[in-house]
Amino acid sequence: MRPRLWLLLAVQLTVLHGSSVLQQTPAYIKVQTNKMVMLSCEAKISLSNMRIYWLRQRQAPSSDSHHEFLALWDSAKGTIHGEEVEQEKIAVFRDASRFILNLTSVKPEDSGIYFCMIVGSPELTFGKGTQLSVVDFLPTTAQPTKKSTPKKRVCRLPRPETQKGPLCSPITLGLLVAGVLVLLVSLGVAIHLCCRRRRARLRFMKQFYK
């Protein structure tokens, strides 16, 4: 279709709120980069000889919104792509009363609101739109936090104080033992000599008093 007609459609789209005649599902979808997306538009009226158009709005609806014509489905020609559209990424096919927009290898710049539309005579009928968000990483499910168990208090006995200072070497210890032995021997000799002197004195006293 001519650019002037699409400009007219874009202006009218901003004032329409969507129709129950065309039901789009899902209302919102978030996918990861380079994945495939399938958007559905189900017609509640007979569309034997009519065309279904798919438009994309890259920003929130406003008077300055830009609507891009992506593709349409024709009963005789199949998918017809719009200008400046990557045809290998976009396809439209029919499944009974549903018209599927198939997007492959999506990128973040493909994010926006996708509308299906019917050009009637003279009215235009739009779906309520599907918002597509393409992200590099999908949010993961939060793991339940583990409760920390209180640590048991362990009573510890105080450690005995270690003796400070230099340790006795084997030589020093041997000298101490030898010194003790010498003292014991000397003491034994002194006691023996004392006993002998006492006996000698007693014998001398006995001889003197006879």
Side-chain angles (χ1 to χ4, degrees), residues 31-37 103-107 134-135 138:
V31 296
Q32 196 171 1
T33 303
N34 295 324
K35 298 296 183 179
M36 184 184 69
V37 182
L103 304 173
T104 59
S105 301
V106 293
K107 305 295 181 183
V134 182
V135 295
L138 292 175

Side-chain angles (χ1 to χ4, degrees), residues 196-210:
R196 290 187 62 183
R197 290 176 182 177
R198 188 175 180 182
R199 292 193 194 99
R201 185 177 179 183
L202 290 174
R203 284 196 298 269
F204 177 76
M205 291 296 293
K206 288 180 180 180
Q207 292 177 359
F208 181 76
Y209 286 106
K210 283 183 180 180

Side-chain angles (χ1 to χ4, degrees), residues 82-148:
E83 298 178 359
E84 299 181 358
V85 172
E86 298 182 40
Q87 299 185 10
E88 64 276 6
K89 290 181 55 175
I90 298 176
V92 182
F93 58 91
R94 182 175 181 176
D95 180 15
S97 62
R98 295 193 309 145
F99 296 84
I100 310 298
L101 175 65
N102 188 63
L103 304 173
T104 59
S105 301
V106 293
K107 305 295 181 183
E109 54 267 24
D110 293 322
S111 299
I113 304 176
Y114 289 74
F115 295 93
C116 61
M117 179 192 69
I118 299 173
V119 179
S121 179
E123 73 281 354
L124 304 175
T125 305
F126 295 88
K128 294 185 178 181
T130 295
Q131 184 175 355
L132 171 65
S133 178
V134 182
V135 295
D136 292 330
F137 301 98
L138 292 175
T140 56
T141 305
Q143 297 293 333
T145 56
K146 296 182 179 180
K147 294 183 179 180
S148 58

Side-chain angles (χ1 to χ4, degrees), residues 5-23:
L5 178 58
W6 286 113
L7 179 60
L8 176 61
L9 296 179
V11 173
Q12 295 191 30
L13 181 59
T14 59
V15 298
L16 295 176
H17 300 286
S19 171
S20 60
V21 175
L22 297 177
Q23 294 186 357

